[in-house]
Amino acid sequence: MNSNDTDLSSELLVAQLLEQDLLNLRYAQEAEKLQLEAVISVSALKSGKLPKFSKNKKAGNVIAANASVITSDDADIAMELFLADARTGGDRAFAESLQVAQDASVITGRHFAQKLAAEEKKFLLDAEFARRLQNANDNGELDMDSVKDAESLLGRDTVDKILAADPNEKGKNKAEQGKGKASGDDMEFDEDMHDVKPTLAEDLPLCGICYEPFKATHSPVTASQSATSSNRLQFGLCLPCPNQHSYCLSCLASYIQTKLDPEGEGGGNPEVRVFPIKCPECPPTQWEDGISDDIAQRVLSEKNMVLWHRQRLLDSIERHYCPNPRCSALVQVHDDPNEPMASCPSCSEVMCVPCRVTWHNEMTCEEYQALPDDEKSPEDQLVFLLAKAKKWRRCPKCAVLVELTHGCNHITCFCGTHFCFKCGSLWDKVNTRCTRVPSCELWDEENLLEQRERERQRQADNNQRQQLVQPQPAPAPPPPYFPPQYVPPHMRVEPQYVPPHMRAEPQYVPLRTRAAELEWMHDPNIVCGRHPFTTDMIRSLVCGYCNARANSMADLLYHLSHVTHHAVFACCGRFFAREVDFDRHCQAQVHRFGGHVHTVDSPARVP
């Protein structure tokens, strides 16, 4: 029993109790009236003052009327009105309970009708399948190897017509048309089972995108077009992926349309390779074929099917882009494979299709490819230098430059090629590793730390550039001139000459040596816990020289061992903020380790 039924029962009980109290009050008033009549009649007879009426019955009525006038007051009238309201409220509550019970019975009947209609459709499909199977067997045309299911024997059109039929329409047009057809192939009815969702949602499949229940059908778009209810249950299907994921019509159609036309302008997506369109929930390594044309026809409209076939045709053609860095438009190559030249429709730049560069005059493709990088065009040389500095990788199939900004070493190129970013070898999608022996790791921590340090360097360069752009304050006036004091020749100290081979050069620790010398940051036995500058840096993971925040101890170690825009001074398990403090420590005698260990003196310069 729900809360509404409990409230209705409470109101009925209160109304009954109030009515019983009012009845008891009325009975008490009647008794008082009878007692008053008896007292008045006795007192009148004893005093000899009888009424002038000859009939005692009439006199008794007058006395009773006077008594009722005397005994009726405002409290009695208010009680009568309250009793009337209570009766009205009880009647309303009873009427509402009857309406709720009637609605529940109607919904239950509709659900039962929906179940019966679904079973009848299945019966029609089985009957037609059995009839066709029997006819093929009688005619000697039955091939059990070709018969896999009902659709393979009946055909998709027949299955769609039977599943889209409405059994409630059977016999309605017999009086007008004078005939009726019992075959499932000739029925044209509505598949809309009902507009009320079933009470038990677990009886229906759930969409993997919106997580709403839907009715599974062979052709959801056909069922939706034949449905007449405005608030009907969604239709959908299960994809033939390994996990049999199910989706409703609206979610699956929107997902495919987003892949085909992300801008929503109806022009498709010619710049990106879309096919195959995978299942939204399956991993990329599963179900390589993706959504087929047959499934797309079941869920997409005619307009979206045009985009589907257009995009599939574009993806089947090899794409070439203009080598002009200021254009990069899509270029249509010649149908003849022996024609190596192609013209850009946007900037009219002539490109070499096999080499994918601007047309090279007086050289064949083999001669151009044999040239070293420094003898090719200046534009290509700049790109190669930039790629080398940024550590980009070329796709082994289409030679497109790829940059790894974040993530693992598994790269998927625009052309669909899977390769390893670290070594450039092809990627084995089944075993999730590269084909090189030994194979590279999926996650390269060194590469991620290097990328993060590159971002810090770029941010430091931007800050330095902004400081140079900002207006500098006016220089201070020069100090007053004082002539130098005269020093006799015999008291002058001449600077001693030091040969070049004996001059002390500033010490620079290479990056690899510096990284090995700073490994003590992970050893608590070496870290000086009484040094605040060192302990604060390690505990907060913030560089004490440039305030750069690190994600981990490995990130902080990589930053301190590879940074070039500021110096790092370390010795004996501690960092020094200033060079003068570092020099003072190096000149002092250390008793902790018996000598200076793990010394790093790295000026802010590149060797």
Side-chain angles (χ1 to χ4, degrees), residues 91-393:
D91 295 340
R92 186 186 73 253
F94 183 70
E96 290 179 355
S97 63
L98 291 179
Q99 184 65 33
V100 170
Q102 184 178 2
D103 293 341
S105 62
V106 170
I107 293 175
T108 304
R110 288 176 178 176
H111 295 168
F112 184 70
Q114 180 183 7
K115 183 178 180 182
L116 290 179
E119 293 178 354
E120 186 170 354
K121 286 188 179 184
K122 186 177 183 301
F123 171 75
L124 290 175
L125 184 61
D126 294 340
E128 185 64 20
F129 177 68
R131 185 178 67 82
R132 295 282 184 91
L133 198 63
Q134 183 64 36
N135 292 337
N137 189 23
D138 295 340
N139 298 332
E141 301 174 353
L142 181 61
D143 186 8
M144 296 303 297
D145 295 335
S146 61
V147 178
K148 299 180 180 179
D149 51 12
E151 182 179 354
S152 61
L153 182 62
L154 301 179
R156 208 182 84 186
D157 295 336
T158 303
V159 174
D160 291 343
K161 190 176 293 184
I162 294 176
L163 293 179
D166 188 356
N168 297 325
E169 295 288 340
K170 292 191 296 182
K172 287 188 177 180
N173 298 327
K174 285 185 178 180
E176 300 177 0
Q177 300 177 359
K179 59 181 179 178
K181 298 181 180 180
S183 176
D185 296 342
D186 301 325
M187 294 186 299
E188 297 179 359
F189 302 114
D190 186 8
E191 191 185 355
D192 183 26
M193 302 308 297
H194 205 270
D195 54 350
V196 181
K197 294 183 179 179
T199 304
L200 299 177
E202 58 269 15
D203 296 340
L204 295 175
L206 296 179
C207 175
I209 298 178
C210 66
Y211 298 100
E212 291 291 335
F214 65 89
K215 183 183 182 303
T217 180
H218 179 268
S219 180
V221 66
T222 305
S224 300
Q225 291 174 356
S226 62
T228 58
S229 176
S230 60
N231 56 350
R232 57 178 173 77
L233 192 67
Q234 281 278 354
F235 297 98
L237 52 74
C238 295
L239 294 179
C241 57
N243 297 322
Q244 297 290 323
H245 293 125
S246 56
Y247 304 97
C248 64
L249 172 62
S250 59
C251 292
L252 186 58
S254 300
Y255 169 73
I256 298 176
Q257 187 176 2
T258 303
K259 295 289 185 179
L260 298 176
D261 188 16
E263 301 296 334
E265 299 177 354
N269 194 6
E271 301 296 333
V272 180
R273 189 177 297 274
V274 176
F275 286 92
I277 299 179
K278 305 296 185 63
C279 173
E281 294 182 90
C282 287
T285 56
Q286 293 184 3
W287 204 37
E288 296 290 339
D289 297 335
I291 300 175
S292 61
D293 296 343
D294 178 67
I295 299 176
Q297 291 178 357
R298 300 181 188 180
V299 298
L300 296 181
S301 61
E302 296 181 1
K303 180 180 178 181
N304 290 331
M305 282 304 300
V306 173
L307 289 177
W308 174 277
H309 292 298
R310 178 185 176 186
Q311 187 67 37
R312 181 174 284 278
L313 179 61
L314 288 175
D315 290 351
S316 63
I317 301 174
E318 187 178 4
R319 300 183 183 183
H320 298 270
Y321 298 93
C322 177
N324 186 357
R326 293 178 295 274
C327 178
S328 301
L330 187 65
V331 179
Q332 183 178 2
V333 300
H334 201 273
D335 295 336
D336 187 4
N338 297 324
E339 178 60 38
M341 299 179 63
S343 179
C344 176
S346 179
C347 65
S348 301
E349 182 77 27
V350 180
M351 67 171 294
C352 176
V353 177
C355 300
R356 298 177 181 268
V357 295
T358 306
W359 180 252
H360 38 77
N361 296 320
E362 301 178 356
M363 281 190 300
T364 62
C365 294
E366 291 77 7
E367 295 175 349
Y368 179 81
Q369 294 295 337
L371 292 176
D373 295 340
D374 55 353
E375 296 183 10
K376 294 182 179 180
S377 61
E379 292 81 4
D380 293 342
Q381 181 63 25
L382 292 177
V383 173
F384 294 149
L385 292 177
L386 180 63
K388 185 178 180 179
K390 297 294 185 180
K391 295 187 177 181
W392 295 346
R393 179 70 63 180

Side-chain angles (χ1 to χ4, degrees), residues 520-531 534-535 538 572-574 592-593:
W520 56 265
M521 295 172 57
H522 299 280
D523 191 352
N525 297 324
I526 300 179
V527 177
C528 183
R530 300 185 303 275
H531 195 258
T534 305
T535 55
I538 295 177
C572 298
R574 67 186 70 184
R592 182 183 180 188
F593 301 103

Side-chain angles (χ1 to χ4, degrees), residues 66-99:
N66 295 332
S68 80
V69 171
I70 295 172
T71 57
S72 298
D73 54 2
D74 295 340
D76 297 337
I77 296 174
M79 188 63 69
E80 291 289 342
L81 293 176
F82 184 74
L83 177 60
D85 293 340
R87 288 177 177 174
T88 303
D91 295 340
R92 186 186 73 253
F94 183 70
E96 290 179 355
S97 63
L98 291 179
Q99 184 65 33

Side-chain angles (χ1 to χ4, degrees), residues 450-599:
E450 180 182 357
Q451 176 64 25
R452 183 165 177 83
E453 182 60 29
R454 199 180 301 122
E455 293 178 359
R456 294 194 190 99
Q457 182 67 33
R458 189 184 303 112
Q459 184 65 29
D461 295 342
N462 294 335
N463 296 337
Q464 185 178 4
R465 193 178 300 109
Q466 292 178 1
Q467 292 177 1
L468 294 177
V469 172
Q470 293 179 356
Q472 299 295 331
Y481 175 76
F482 295 99
Q485 295 181 0
Y486 175 77
V487 179
H490 64 279
M491 298 181 62
R492 297 175 185 173
V493 179
E494 298 292 337
Q496 297 181 358
Y497 173 77
V498 180
H501 64 278
M502 298 181 61
R503 296 176 184 175
E505 296 291 336
Q507 183 184 4
Y508 176 79
V509 182
L511 297 182
R512 294 183 179 178
T513 307
R514 194 193 312 175
E517 291 293 341
L518 293 179
E519 286 292 339
W520 56 265
M521 295 172 57
H522 299 280
D523 191 352
N525 297 324
I526 300 179
V527 177
C528 183
R530 300 185 303 275
H531 195 258
F533 182 77
T534 305
T535 55
D536 292 345
M537 185 187 306
I538 295 177
R539 181 172 56 253
S540 61
L541 297 179
V542 176
C543 177
Y545 301 99
C546 64
N547 294 326
R549 184 173 296 277
N551 294 331
S552 60
M553 181 64 71
D555 190 11
L556 180 61
L557 173 60
Y558 192 91
H559 168 70
L560 294 174
S561 59
H562 292 79
V563 66
T564 58
H565 60 270
H566 66 74
V568 176
F569 304 103
C571 186
C572 298
R574 67 186 70 184
F575 290 98
F576 299 93
R578 299 180 303 173
E579 185 177 5
V580 61
D581 300 333
F582 173 75
D583 294 338
R584 188 182 302 111
H585 169 79
C586 293
Q587 294 174 4
Q589 185 177 2
V590 180
H591 301 282
R592 182 183 180 188
F593 301 103
H596 295 283
V597 296
H598 307 295
T599 303

